[in-house]
Structures are given as C-alpha cells and as structure tokens.
Amino acid sequence: AQSVTQPDIHITVSEGASLELRCNYSYGATPYLFWYVQSPGQGLQLLLKYFSGDTLVQGIKGFEAEFKRSQSSFNLRKPSVHWSDAAEYFCAVAKGAQKLVFGQGTRLTINP
Amino acid sequence: GAVVSQHPSWVICKSGTSVKIECRSLDFQATTMFWYRQFPKQSLMLMATSNEGSKATYEQGVEKDKFLINHASLTLSTLTVTSAHPEDSSFYICSASRELDNEQFFGPGTRLTVL
C-alpha cells in the first residue's frame, strides 16, 4: 500500500538558517509527489509538486524539493527561512488518479 | 483565483444531532471534491471522493450512512454528520479538484465539537 513517512514531527530552526524537511514514500509505480503547507485558519497550500522530468523542483515562497528514486525520498529545502514560514508541512503522494495520501506532518518553529 | 470555502468554520452540537458542512469552489468548477478528516497533531485522512451528480466513493472504514455526502453541483459539496457522537469531533477539510488541470485546492476546514 502507498504510504508517506515524515520522520520529524517537530523541527525548530533559527530565522535565516537553512531548512530541510524529510519525506520518504512507498509507492509501486512512478509517484506523483507533493508538499503542502498548513497555517492556522487557512487551507492547505501547495508548495510544489513532482510528476516527472527534472528531479529538482522549484516551488513557491523560495522552497525546492529533490526527488531521489534510489532513496524513495522527496525532501523539502529552503536556503534561508523567515518567521512567516512557521507552519505545519505535509508531504503527500497521489494514489490513483487524484487521491492524496499524506504524511504525518512536520511542525516547523522559527526562533527569532 | 482557485479559492475553496467551507461553512461553518466551527460548530458545536449535541450528541445525537446532525450537522451539515458545506464546501464551495468560489471561482472554478470542480469535477471532483474530496473530504478529509484530521485529528489533532495528526495527518489528513481521506474519507470520501465525490463527483458531481453521482454517489460518493467512501474509503475503507468510513461509514457512508453516518457521513452523508452530496455533490449537487460543480461548485458545491456537502458533508452531513448524522447522529453525531463525541468521537466524531474532529477537523473536517474539503478539497476541490479544478477541471482545468486536476490540481486540488483545499478549504480552511471546519472544527466540529460534539458534546
């Protein structure tokens, strides 16, 4: 069965520091992979997605992610975080046509 | 563009009553809408998939008689929690798949508390 694992429940980084959020997936075929951000009172917002092609994907808000098939990973990165990046981040894999299977989420806290 | 709204944003009800939650795509037509449930500090779990004009498809373990889904138009889907119990208390989130490119857009969620 398809599954997504985000090993880190909570990460704290200092403002201006680099960030990497980990995501590992289990999927039998070529996966469709997504990163979403959830802020209180707002719906999940798509940061970026990978369907095929270049394994380094650029997203919104300065985020990028790299698909590594050999490691079954799709880690999210940002070179310099801002206080406004504090939120919950979810990695997801598309199951079937559009069904999304989400990871457990990683809560990001930013220290001033 | 591509905004999805949910109403109400929060609701408190008594055990045994029914509660209806609306999900609307405000500026696009949604071929498919999805309903998720999110427990505190946990992930989103897909409950059901609905297509306009047809019966919803429920995920394994989701009681279709308890969680009634109606997708009457390309911009509106409703989830009715019938005979609610305290264990139904949760955060319910909908998403709408845009006909143009199948990208999903999420609503802000509805917090349900059953007393």
Side-chain angles (χ1 to χ4, degrees), chain A residues 35-67:
Chain A
W35 273 100
Y36 287 89
V37 60
Q38 184 181 38
S39 299
Q42 299 182 30
L44 271 75
Q45 183 181 22
L46 178 66
L47 290 175
L48 46 78
K49 60 187 176 185
Y50 171 79
F51 286 178
S52 65
D54 193 345
T55 56
L56 185 62
V57 182
Q58 300 298 320
I60 62 171
K61 304 185 178 184
F63 286 94
E64 66 176 28
E66 187 171 11
F67 170 61

Side-chain angles (χ1 to χ4, degrees), chain A residues 38 43 46 90 98-99 102-103, chain B residues 38 43 59 97 103-104 107:
Chain A
Q38 184 181 38
L46 178 66
F90 290 95
Q98 297 172 58
K99 292 185 181 180
F102 286 88
Chain B
Q38 185 180 29
S43 186
E59 295 299 301
S97 178
E103 181 169 336
Q104 284 191 44

Side-chain angles (χ1 to χ4, degrees), chain A:
Chain A
Q2 294 82 356
S3 66
V4 178
T5 302
Q6 293 178 247
D8 305 305
I9 296 173
H10 185 202
I11 283 183
T12 300
V13 299
S14 298
E15 189 168 17
S18 63
L19 171 71
E20 182 169 33
L21 301 182
R22 295 182 292 165
C23 172
N24 293 98
Y25 66 89
S26 172
Y27 193 67
T30 302
Y32 290 179
L33 294 160
F34 306 80
W35 273 100
Y36 287 89
V37 60
Q38 184 181 38
S39 299
Q42 299 182 30
L44 271 75
Q45 183 181 22
L46 178 66
L47 290 175
L48 46 78
K49 60 187 176 185
Y50 171 79
F51 286 178
S52 65
D54 193 345
T55 56
L56 185 62
V57 182
Q58 300 298 320
I60 62 171
K61 304 185 178 184
F63 286 94
E64 66 176 28
E66 187 171 11
F67 170 61
K68 292 185 177 180
R69 185 187 297 277
S70 62
Q71 298 178 21
S72 298
S73 69
F74 189 56
N75 294 348
L76 181 72
R77 300 194 293 250
K78 186 169 184 177
S80 176
V81 297
H82 186 261
W83 63 265
S84 60
D85 293 324
E88 189 87 20
Y89 291 80
F90 290 95
C91 181
V93 62
K95 172 185 173 182
Q98 297 172 58
K99 292 185 181 180
L100 291 170
V101 176
F102 286 88
Q104 300 91 321
T106 298
R107 184 160 60 96
L108 175 63
T109 299
I110 307 295
N111 280 337

Side-chain angles (χ1 to χ4, degrees), chain B residues 30-74:
Chain B
T31 50
T32 305
M33 288 185 169
F34 303 85
W35 286 95
Y36 297 84
R37 184 172 180 176
Q38 185 180 29
F39 291 101
K41 300 186 188 296
Q42 293 189 31
S43 186
L44 286 76
M45 300 299 294
L46 180 65
M47 299 174 65
T49 303
S50 73
N51 290 292
E52 184 261 339
S54 58
K55 288 185 178 180
T57 301
Y58 291 82
E59 295 299 301
Q60 191 172 9
V62 177
E63 300 175 61
K64 60 181 180 181
D65 294 330
K66 180 166 193 60
F67 298 100
L68 301 180
I69 292 172
N70 183 278
H71 194 157
S73 76
L74 285 173

